[in-house]
Amino acid sequence: MAMDPHVFSQLAFGLVLAGGLYLFISEKLRVDVTAMLILLALVLTGVLDSKQALSGFASEPAIIVAAVFVISGALAATGISEHIGAWIGRAGGRHEWRTIAVVMPVVALLAAFTHHVMVTAMMLPLLLRHARDRHMPASRLLMPMSLAASLGTTLTLVSAPAFLLANDQLQRAGAEGLGIFSITPIGIALVVVGTVYMLLTRWLLPKRSGEGGEDDYLRLGRYRTELLVVPGGQWATRSLADMHKAMGKSVSVHGWLRDGQRRDDLTAASPLLAGDILLVEAGADELMSLHDDSGLDLNAIARYGDSLDGEGKLQLVQTVVAPGSEFIGRSIRELDFSRQFHAVIVGLWRRSGPVAERLSDARLREGDLLVLWGRANRFAELATHHGFLLLAPFAGEAKRRLRAPLALAILGLTILAAATEWLPAPLAFLLGAVAMVATRCVDINQAYREIDVRIFVMIAGVIPLGIAMEQTGTAGLLAQGLSHLVAGWPPLAILLVMFAVAALLTQVMSDAATTALLGPVAIALAQVLDLPPTPFVVCTALGAVVAFLTPIGHHGNLLILGPGQYRFGDFLRIGLPLTVLIALVSAWMARWLWLGGQLLPHFG
């Protein structure tokens, strides 16, 4: 007797799902590769046709996620993220409770419109430095910051792939979709509850100093260099204070030369004149930014750049003075680098010890790192010279600080267009990302690098998983079984069940995969119970996003695990009570928003 095609598709889907879950949990393959294998298996077994299988790549969630990555990159490239992080450090003061009270809401707000892992990565070195300077245990600050970044993703629809997938599933089921701020009331409540919880229970946090401070040899500090004010450039006749405001405090001026003479009488309010030379120290990103600034020029390039003959692209590279090098003890002026190696020394980093006021007077030491300017095809001789170690491209990323107001304006207009539904959210964010590139707030190559292809591909791959679960009837079967289990239960309890199932599953799977798998079950369960599907899907997505039970459940937690010297049990001790509290708040708020429940508890 021939097998019922419907039963066969359910069995085939069950086998594909089991294999996919095994690969997701075991991590034998990357999540994006696993998602692609699931997609192909669903097509080869006939569960989905090719159009359904590939629909995820053109889906709204995939488009919005890619656009948000580009917008996040533009905020970083224009220095906005860095300025906000520095402000947080200043506002945190010298008290642990105050730092937590400032950091958590602001980090949550940042994560609402950018990628939360990027926010965590940006804040990590700032908080490590803040903790070291104020003699605080770093472990008391990093976990609240990481939790706030995850909680911040509940403030808008676009900040977490899980919510975008939930919205996509609701629209496919014929229900009304979610607006960009539909879940914001829940997000605000969760950020407030999370912040208060961390302030009241911070004594549970471990006291460990943390790792990765600036004393790490691989964390290069400031490079010594010289800047020439270009005639007719944007800084000529403007004050030093104006330049400082645009460049940020990470560029410090320790000398000002005019007509070849040091001028100690000039102040921050004094105007810069064409031909002035500023003796400065700057980080790698800032040095690259200064190099790209049309109103300034690196003095060494202005003086000796024309002597670099040959063809090929001009670029910045870095090299280290080798132990026993013949150049140790000789000044940069004596070396005549442009003639001997067809390159110009434009910057110097030294681990410790004094450096001469003028770069050309600096006598080289073992371990000094030199930043060189020259043509790629002339570096061959330098790369093989025994006096130097490691010839590599300069690691700085230019900041486009002057375009920061423009980037903020584009972000604001993007959010406004999506929130007022003047444009559909995918189009609004896609337009915002394109505008960031078109207005040169972020370089096109950097914009492409900012897109995490793994997350994009994984989202495109798990969307067909949800379609198959619904189409084969598997979601309906699971919903029927679950409905028998929760028969007679109040809606609040059922919402808590959906949150709990997602919270457990997301510890071994990504939030997007968890939502793709359980979302159709939540919709089918709501239909069986004759209730609106929105609160059930939203609680499922919330469980996938904000369950803080283990360090492996969220990428942000993995970032702070080493620097904060955390142990597995630290997350469980802090996260279990918090997750229970978050589950109650999420279910209560969802019932109020979509099921007509009371906002305030009624004790009568």
Coordinates of all heavy atoms in Angstrom, one line a residue, residues 312-391:
G312 N 52.7 52.0 -8.9 CA 52.0 51.2 -7.9 C 51.3 52.0 -6.9 O 51.5 53.3 -6.8
K313 N 50.4 51.4 -6.2 CA 49.5 52.1 -5.2 C 50.4 52.5 -4.0 O 51.2 51.8 -3.5 CB 48.4 51.2 -4.8 CG 47.4 51.8 -3.8 CD 46.4 50.8 -3.4 CE 45.4 51.3 -2.4 NZ 44.4 50.3 -1.9
L314 N 50.1 53.8 -3.5 CA 50.7 54.3 -2.3 C 49.9 53.8 -1.1 O 48.7 53.8 -1.2 CB 50.8 55.8 -2.3 CG 51.8 56.4 -3.2 CD1 51.5 57.9 -3.5 CD2 53.2 56.3 -2.6
Q315 N 50.6 53.3 -0.1 CA 49.8 52.7 1.1 C 50.7 52.9 2.3 O 51.9 53.1 2.3 CB 49.5 51.3 0.8 CG 50.8 50.4 0.7 CD 50.4 48.9 0.5 OE1 50.7 48.4 -0.5 NE2 49.8 48.3 1.5
L316 N 50.0 52.8 3.5 CA 50.6 52.7 4.8 C 50.8 51.3 5.2 O 50.0 50.5 5.1 CB 49.7 53.4 5.8 CG 49.5 55.0 5.7 CD1 48.5 55.4 6.7 CD2 50.8 55.7 6.0
V317 N 52.1 51.0 5.7 CA 52.4 49.7 6.2 C 53.1 49.9 7.6 O 53.4 51.1 7.9 CB 53.3 48.9 5.3 CG1 52.6 48.6 4.0 CG2 54.6 49.6 5.1
Q318 N 53.3 48.9 8.3 CA 54.0 49.0 9.6 C 55.0 47.9 9.7 O 54.9 46.8 9.2 CB 53.0 48.9 10.8 CG 52.0 47.7 10.7 CD 50.9 47.8 11.7 OE1 50.8 48.8 12.5 NE2 50.0 46.8 11.8
T319 N 56.1 48.2 10.4 CA 57.2 47.2 10.6 C 57.8 47.5 12.0 O 57.6 48.5 12.6 CB 58.2 47.4 9.5 OG1 59.2 46.3 9.6 CG2 59.0 48.7 9.6
V320 N 58.5 46.5 12.5 CA 59.1 46.5 13.8 C 60.6 46.5 13.7 O 61.1 45.7 13.0 CB 58.6 45.3 14.7 CG1 59.2 45.4 16.1 CG2 57.0 45.4 14.8
V321 N 61.3 47.3 14.5 CA 62.7 47.3 14.6 C 63.2 46.0 15.2 O 62.8 45.8 16.4 CB 63.3 48.6 15.3 CG1 64.8 48.5 15.4 CG2 62.8 49.8 14.6
A322 N 64.0 45.2 14.5 CA 64.4 43.9 15.0 C 65.5 44.0 16.1 O 66.2 45.0 16.2 CB 64.9 43.1 13.9
P323 N 65.6 43.0 17.0 CA 66.7 42.9 18.0 C 68.0 42.9 17.2 O 68.1 42.2 16.2 CB 66.4 41.6 18.7 CG 64.9 41.4 18.5 CD 64.6 41.9 17.2
G324 N 69.0 43.7 17.7 CA 70.3 43.7 17.0 C 70.3 44.4 15.7 O 71.3 44.4 15.0
S325 N 69.2 45.2 15.4 CA 69.2 45.9 14.1 C 70.3 46.9 14.1 O 70.6 47.6 15.1 CB 67.8 46.5 13.9 OG 67.8 47.4 12.8
E326 N 70.8 47.1 12.9 CA 71.8 48.2 12.7 C 71.3 49.6 12.8 O 72.1 50.5 12.9 CB 72.4 48.0 11.3 CG 71.4 48.3 10.2 CD 71.9 47.8 8.8 OE1 71.9 46.6 8.5 OE2 72.3 48.7 8.0
F327 N 69.9 49.7 12.9 CA 69.3 51.0 13.0 C 69.1 51.5 14.4 O 68.7 52.6 14.6 CB 68.0 51.1 12.2 CG 68.1 50.6 10.8 CD1 67.5 49.5 10.3 CD2 68.9 51.3 9.9 CE1 67.6 49.1 9.0 CE2 69.1 50.9 8.6 CZ 68.4 49.7 8.1
I328 N 69.3 50.6 15.4 CA 69.1 50.9 16.8 C 70.1 52.0 17.2 O 71.3 51.9 16.9 CB 69.3 49.7 17.7 CG1 68.1 48.7 17.4 CG2 69.3 50.1 19.1 CD1 68.2 47.4 18.1
G329 N 69.6 53.0 17.8 CA 70.4 54.2 18.3 C 70.6 55.3 17.3 O 71.1 56.3 17.6
R330 N 70.2 55.0 16.0 CA 70.3 56.1 15.0 C 68.9 56.8 14.9 O 67.9 56.2 15.1 CB 70.6 55.4 13.7 CG 72.0 54.7 13.7 CD 72.2 54.0 12.4 NE 72.4 54.9 11.2 CZ 72.5 54.6 10.0 NH1 72.5 53.3 9.7 NH2 72.6 55.5 9.0
S331 N 69.0 58.1 14.6 CA 67.8 58.9 14.5 C 67.1 58.7 13.1 O 67.8 58.3 12.2 CB 68.1 60.4 14.7 OG 68.8 60.9 13.6
I332 N 65.8 59.0 13.1 CA 65.1 58.8 11.8 C 65.7 59.7 10.7 O 65.8 59.4 9.6 CB 63.6 59.1 12.0 CG1 63.0 58.0 12.9 CG2 62.8 59.2 10.7 CD1 61.6 58.2 13.3
R333 N 66.2 60.9 11.2 CA 66.8 61.9 10.2 C 68.0 61.3 9.6 O 68.3 61.4 8.4 CB 67.1 63.1 11.0 CG 67.5 64.3 10.1 CD 68.2 65.4 10.9 NE 67.3 65.9 12.0 CZ 66.3 66.7 11.8 NH1 66.0 67.3 10.6 NH2 65.6 67.1 12.9
E334 N 68.8 60.6 10.4 CA 70.1 60.0 9.9 C 69.8 58.8 8.9 O 70.7 58.6 8.0 CB 70.9 59.5 11.1 CG 71.4 60.5 12.0 CD 72.0 59.9 13.3 OE1 72.1 58.7 13.4 OE2 72.5 60.7 14.2
L335 N 68.7 58.1 9.1 CA 68.5 56.9 8.3 C 68.2 57.3 6.8 O 68.5 56.5 5.9 CB 67.3 56.1 8.8 CG 67.5 55.5 10.2 CD1 66.3 54.7 10.6 CD2 68.7 54.5 10.1
D336 N 67.7 58.5 6.5 CA 67.3 58.9 5.2 C 66.5 57.7 4.5 O 66.9 57.2 3.4 CB 68.6 59.1 4.4 CG 68.3 59.9 3.1 OD1 67.2 60.3 2.9 OD2 69.2 60.1 2.2
F337 N 65.4 57.4 5.1 CA 64.6 56.3 4.7 C 64.1 56.4 3.2 O 64.0 55.4 2.5 CB 63.4 56.2 5.6 CG 63.3 54.8 6.2 CD1 64.1 54.4 7.2 CD2 62.2 54.0 5.9 CE1 64.0 53.1 7.8 CE2 62.1 52.7 6.4 CZ 63.0 52.3 7.4
S338 N 63.7 57.6 2.8 CA 63.2 57.8 1.5 C 64.1 57.4 0.4 O 63.7 56.9 -0.6 CB 62.7 59.2 1.3 OG 63.8 60.1 1.5
R339 N 65.4 57.7 0.7 CA 66.4 57.3 -0.4 C 66.8 55.8 -0.3 O 66.9 55.1 -1.3 CB 67.7 58.2 -0.2 CG 68.8 57.9 -1.2 CD 70.0 58.7 -0.9 NE 70.6 58.4 0.4 CZ 71.3 57.3 0.6 NH1 71.6 56.4 -0.3 NH2 71.8 57.1 1.8
Q340 N 67.0 55.3 1.0 CA 67.5 53.9 1.1 C 66.4 52.9 0.9 O 66.7 51.9 0.3 CB 68.0 53.8 2.6 CG 68.7 52.5 2.8 CD 69.4 52.4 4.2 OE1 69.4 53.4 4.9 NE2 70.0 51.3 4.5
F341 N 65.2 53.2 1.3 CA 64.1 52.2 1.2 C 62.9 52.6 0.4 O 61.9 51.9 0.4 CB 63.7 51.7 2.6 CG 64.7 51.0 3.4 CD1 65.3 51.6 4.5 CD2 65.1 49.7 3.0 CE1 66.3 50.9 5.2 CE2 66.0 49.0 3.8 CZ 66.7 49.6 4.9
H342 N 63.0 53.8 -0.2 CA 61.9 54.3 -1.0 C 60.6 54.4 -0.2 O 59.5 54.0 -0.7 CB 61.7 53.5 -2.3 CG 62.9 53.3 -3.0 ND1 63.5 54.3 -3.8 CD2 63.8 52.2 -3.1 CE1 64.6 53.8 -4.3 NE2 64.8 52.6 -4.0
A343 N 60.7 54.8 1.1 CA 59.5 54.9 1.9 C 59.7 56.0 2.9 O 60.9 56.5 3.1 CB 59.3 53.6 2.7
V344 N 58.7 56.5 3.5 CA 58.7 57.6 4.5 C 58.2 57.2 5.8 O 57.1 56.5 5.8 CB 57.9 58.8 3.9 CG1 57.9 60.0 5.0 CG2 58.5 59.3 2.6
I345 N 58.9 57.5 6.9 CA 58.4 57.2 8.2 C 57.4 58.3 8.7 O 57.8 59.4 8.8 CB 59.6 57.0 9.2 CG1 60.5 55.9 8.8 CG2 59.0 56.8 10.6 CD1 61.7 55.7 9.7
V346 N 56.2 57.9 8.8 CA 55.2 58.9 9.2 C 54.7 58.8 10.6 O 54.0 59.7 11.1 CB 54.0 58.9 8.2 CG1 54.4 59.1 6.8 CG2 53.2 57.5 8.3
G347 N 55.0 57.7 11.3 CA 54.6 57.5 12.7 C 55.5 56.6 13.4 O 56.1 55.7 12.8
L348 N 55.5 56.7 14.8 CA 56.3 55.8 15.6 C 55.5 55.5 16.9 O 54.9 56.3 17.5 CB 57.6 56.6 16.0 CG 58.4 56.0 17.2 CD1 59.1 54.7 16.7 CD2 59.5 57.0 17.6
W349 N 55.5 54.2 17.2 CA 54.9 53.7 18.4 C 56.0 53.1 19.3 O 56.8 52.3 18.7 CB 53.8 52.7 18.2 CG 53.2 52.1 19.5 CD1 52.3 52.7 20.3 CD2 53.6 50.9 20.1 NE1 52.1 51.8 21.4 CE2 52.9 50.7 21.3 CE3 54.5 49.9 19.7 CZ2 53.0 49.6 22.1 CZ3 54.7 48.8 20.5 CH2 53.9 48.6 21.7
R350 N 56.1 53.4 20.5 CA 57.1 52.9 21.4 C 56.4 52.4 22.7 O 55.6 53.1 23.3 CB 58.2 53.9 21.8 CG 59.2 53.4 22.8 CD 60.4 54.4 22.8 NE 61.1 54.4 21.6 CZ 62.0 55.3 21.2 NH1 62.3 56.3 22.1 NH2 62.7 55.3 20.1
R351 N 56.7 51.2 23.1 CA 56.0 50.6 24.3 C 56.2 51.4 25.5 O 55.3 51.7 26.3 CB 56.5 49.1 24.5 CG 55.9 48.5 25.7 CD 56.1 47.0 25.7 NE 55.6 46.3 26.8 CZ 54.3 46.1 27.1 NH1 53.4 46.5 26.2 NH2 53.9 45.5 28.2
S352 N 57.5 51.8 25.8 CA 57.7 52.6 27.0 C 59.0 53.4 26.7 O 59.8 53.1 25.8 CB 57.9 51.7 28.2 OG 59.0 50.8 28.0
G353 N 59.1 54.5 27.5 CA 60.3 55.3 27.4 C 60.0 56.6 26.6 O 59.0 56.7 25.9
P354 N 60.8 57.6 26.8 CA 60.6 58.9 26.1 C 60.8 58.8 24.6 O 61.6 58.0 24.1 CB 61.6 59.8 26.8 CG 62.7 58.9 27.2 CD 62.1 57.6 27.6
V355 N 60.2 59.8 23.9 CA 60.4 59.9 22.4 C 60.7 61.4 22.2 O 60.1 62.3 22.8 CB 59.1 59.6 21.7 CG1 59.3 59.7 20.2 CG2 58.7 58.1 22.0
A356 N 61.7 61.7 21.3 CA 62.1 63.0 21.0 C 60.9 63.8 20.6 O 59.9 63.3 20.0 CB 63.1 63.0 19.9
E357 N 60.9 65.2 20.8 CA 59.8 66.0 20.4 C 59.5 66.0 18.9 O 58.4 65.8 18.5 CB 60.1 67.5 20.8 CG 59.0 68.4 20.5 CD 59.4 69.9 20.9 OE1 60.1 70.5 20.2 OE2 58.9 70.3 22.0
R358 N 60.6 66.1 18.1 CA 60.4 66.0 16.6 C 60.6 64.5 16.2 O 61.5 63.8 16.7 CB 61.4 66.9 15.9 CG 61.2 68.3 16.1 CD 59.8 68.8 15.6 NE 59.5 68.5 14.2 CZ 59.9 69.3 13.2 NH1 60.5 70.5 13.4 NH2 59.5 69.0 12.0
L359 N 59.7 64.0 15.4 CA 59.8 62.7 14.9 C 61.1 62.4 14.3 O 61.7 61.3 14.5 CB 58.6 62.4 13.9 CG 58.4 61.0 13.5 CD1 58.0 60.1 14.6 CD2 57.3 60.9 12.4
S360 N 61.6 63.3 13.5 CA 62.9 63.0 12.8 C 64.1 62.9 13.8 O 65.1 62.3 13.4 CB 63.2 64.2 11.8 OG 63.2 65.4 12.5
D361 N 63.9 63.4 15.0 CA 65.0 63.3 16.0 C 65.0 62.1 16.9 O 65.9 61.8 17.7 CB 65.0 64.6 16.9 CG 65.3 65.9 16.2 OD1 66.1 65.8 15.2 OD2 64.8 66.9 16.5
A362 N 63.9 61.3 16.7 CA 63.7 60.1 17.5 C 64.8 59.1 17.2 O 64.9 58.7 16.0 CB 62.3 59.5 17.4
R363 N 65.5 58.6 18.2 CA 66.5 57.5 18.0 C 65.8 56.2 18.2 O 65.1 55.9 19.2 CB 67.7 57.7 18.9 CG 68.4 59.0 18.6 CD 69.8 59.0 19.3 NE 70.5 60.2 18.9 CZ 71.2 60.3 17.8 NH1 71.4 59.2 17.0 NH2 71.9 61.4 17.5
L364 N 65.9 55.3 17.2 CA 65.2 54.0 17.2 C 65.7 53.1 18.3 O 66.9 53.0 18.7 CB 65.3 53.3 15.9 CG 64.7 54.1 14.7 CD1 64.8 53.3 13.4 CD2 63.3 54.5 15.0
R365 N 64.8 52.3 18.9 CA 65.0 51.2 19.8 C 64.5 49.9 19.3 O 63.6 49.9 18.5 CB 64.4 51.6 21.2 CG 64.9 52.8 21.9 CD 64.2 53.0 23.2 NE 64.7 54.2 23.9 CZ 64.2 54.6 25.1 NH1 63.3 53.8 25.7 NH2 64.6 55.7 25.7
E366 N 65.0 48.9 19.9 CA 64.5 47.5 19.6 C 63.0 47.5 20.0 O 62.6 47.9 21.1 CB 65.2 46.5 20.4 CG 64.7 45.1 20.3 CD 65.3 44.1 21.2 OE1 66.5 44.3 21.5 OE2 64.7 43.1 21.7
G367 N 62.1 47.0 19.1 CA 60.7 46.8 19.3 C 59.9 48.0 18.9 O 58.7 48.0 19.0
D368 N 60.5 49.1 18.5 CA 59.8 50.3 18.0 C 59.0 49.9 16.8 O 59.5 49.1 15.9 CB 60.7 51.4 17.6 CG 61.2 52.2 18.8 OD1 60.7 52.0 19.9 OD2 62.1 53.1 18.6
L369 N 57.7 50.4 16.7 CA 56.9 50.1 15.5 C 56.9 51.3 14.7 O 56.5 52.4 15.2 CB 55.5 49.6 16.0 CG 54.6 49.1 14.8 CD1 53.7 48.0 15.4 CD2 53.8 50.2 14.2
L370 N 57.2 51.2 13.4 CA 57.3 52.3 12.5 C 56.1 52.2 11.5 O 55.8 51.1 11.0 CB 58.6 52.3 11.7 CG 59.9 52.3 12.5 CD1 61.1 52.3 11.6 CD2 59.9 53.6 13.4
V371 N 55.4 53.3 11.3 CA 54.4 53.4 10.3 C 55.0 54.0 9.0 O 55.6 55.2 9.1 CB 53.2 54.2 10.7 CG1 52.1 54.2 9.6 CG2 52.6 53.7 12.0
L372 N 55.0 53.3 7.9 CA 55.7 53.8 6.7 C 54.7 54.1 5.6 O 53.6 53.5 5.5 CB 56.6 52.7 6.2 CG 57.6 52.1 7.2 CD1 58.4 50.9 6.6 CD2 58.5 53.2 7.7
W373 N 55.1 55.0 4.7 CA 54.3 55.4 3.6 C 55.1 55.2 2.3 O 56.3 55.6 2.2 CB 53.9 56.9 3.7 CG 53.3 57.5 2.5 CD1 53.9 58.4 1.6 CD2 52.0 57.3 2.0 NE1 53.1 58.8 0.6 CE2 51.9 58.2 0.8 CE3 50.9 56.6 2.3 CZ2 50.7 58.2 0.1 CZ3 49.7 56.7 1.6 CH2 49.6 57.5 0.5
G374 N 54.6 54.4 1.4 CA 55.4 54.1 0.2 C 54.5 53.4 -0.8 O 53.3 53.1 -0.6
R375 N 55.2 52.9 -1.9 CA 54.6 52.2 -3.0 C 54.7 50.7 -2.7 O 55.8 50.2 -2.3 CB 55.1 52.6 -4.3 CG 54.9 54.0 -4.7 CD 55.3 54.3 -6.1 NE 55.2 55.8 -6.4 CZ 54.1 56.4 -6.7 NH1 52.9 55.6 -6.8 NH2 54.0 57.7 -6.9
A376 N 53.6 50.0 -3.0 CA 53.6 48.5 -2.6 C 54.7 47.8 -3.3 O 55.3 46.9 -2.7 CB 52.2 48.0 -3.0
N377 N 55.0 48.1 -4.6 CA 56.0 47.4 -5.3 C 57.5 47.7 -4.9 O 58.4 47.1 -5.4 CB 55.9 47.6 -6.8 CG 56.0 49.0 -7.2 OD1 56.1 49.9 -6.4 ND2 56.0 49.3 -8.5
R378 N 57.7 48.7 -4.0 CA 59.0 49.0 -3.5 C 59.3 48.5 -2.1 O 60.4 48.8 -1.6 CB 59.2 50.6 -3.6 CG 59.0 51.2 -4.9 CD 59.9 50.6 -6.0 NE 61.3 50.8 -5.7 CZ 62.1 51.8 -6.2 NH1 61.5 52.7 -7.0 NH2 63.3 51.9 -6.0
F379 N 58.3 47.8 -1.5 CA 58.5 47.3 -0.2 C 59.3 46.0 -0.1 O 59.5 45.4 1.0 CB 57.2 47.2 0.5 CG 56.6 48.5 1.0 CD1 55.3 48.9 0.7 CD2 57.4 49.4 1.7 CE1 54.8 50.1 1.2 CE2 56.9 50.6 2.1 CZ 55.6 51.0 1.9
A380 N 59.5 45.4 -1.3 CA 60.2 44.0 -1.3 C 61.5 44.0 -0.5 O 61.8 43.1 0.2 CB 60.3 43.6 -2.7
E381 N 62.3 45.0 -0.8 CA 63.7 45.1 -0.2 C 63.5 45.2 1.4 O 64.2 44.6 2.1 CB 64.4 46.2 -0.7 CG 65.8 46.4 -0.1 CD 66.6 47.6 -0.7 OE1 66.1 48.2 -1.7 OE2 67.7 47.9 -0.2
L382 N 62.6 46.1 1.8 CA 62.4 46.3 3.2 C 61.9 45.0 3.9 O 62.3 44.7 5.0 CB 61.4 47.4 3.4 CG 61.1 47.9 4.8 CD1 62.4 48.5 5.4 CD2 60.0 48.9 4.9
A383 N 61.0 44.3 3.2 CA 60.4 43.1 3.8 C 61.5 42.0 4.1 O 61.3 41.2 5.0 CB 59.4 42.5 2.9
T384 N 62.6 42.0 3.3 CA 63.6 41.0 3.5 C 64.8 41.5 4.3 O 65.7 40.7 4.5 CB 64.1 40.5 2.1 OG1 64.6 41.6 1.4 CG2 63.0 39.8 1.3
H385 N 64.8 42.7 4.7 CA 65.9 43.3 5.4 C 66.0 42.7 6.8 O 64.9 42.7 7.6 CB 65.8 44.8 5.5 CG 67.1 45.5 5.8 ND1 67.6 45.6 7.1 CD2 68.0 46.2 5.0 CE1 68.7 46.2 7.1 NE2 69.0 46.6 5.8
H386 N 67.1 42.3 7.3 CA 67.3 41.7 8.6 C 67.1 42.7 9.8 O 66.9 42.3 10.9 CB 68.7 41.1 8.8 CG 69.8 42.1 8.7 ND1 70.4 42.5 7.5 CD2 70.4 42.7 9.7 CE1 71.3 43.4 7.8 NE2 71.4 43.5 9.1
G387 N 67.1 44.0 9.5 CA 66.9 45.0 10.5 C 65.5 45.2 10.9 O 65.2 45.9 11.9
F388 N 64.5 44.6 10.2 CA 63.1 44.8 10.5 C 62.4 43.5 10.6 O 62.8 42.5 10.0 CB 62.5 45.7 9.4 CG 63.1 47.0 9.3 CD1 63.9 47.3 8.3 CD2 62.8 48.0 10.3 CE1 64.5 48.6 8.2 CE2 63.4 49.3 10.1 CZ 64.2 49.6 9.1
L389 N 61.4 43.5 11.4 CA 60.5 42.3 11.5 C 59.1 42.7 11.1 O 58.7 43.8 11.3 CB 60.4 41.8 13.0 CG 61.7 41.4 13.7 CD1 61.5 41.2 15.2 CD2 62.3 40.2 13.0
L390 N 58.4 41.7 10.5 CA 57.0 41.9 10.2 C 56.6 43.1 9.4 O 56.5 44.2 10.0 CB 56.2 41.9 11.6 CG 54.7 42.1 11.4 CD1 54.0 40.9 10.9 CD2 54.1 42.5 12.8
L391 N 56.5 43.0 8.2 CA 56.0 44.1 7.3 C 54.5 43.8 7.0 O 54.3 42.7 6.4 CB 56.8 44.2 6.0 CG 56.5 45.4 5.1 CD1 56.9 46.7 5.8 CD2 57.2 45.3 3.8

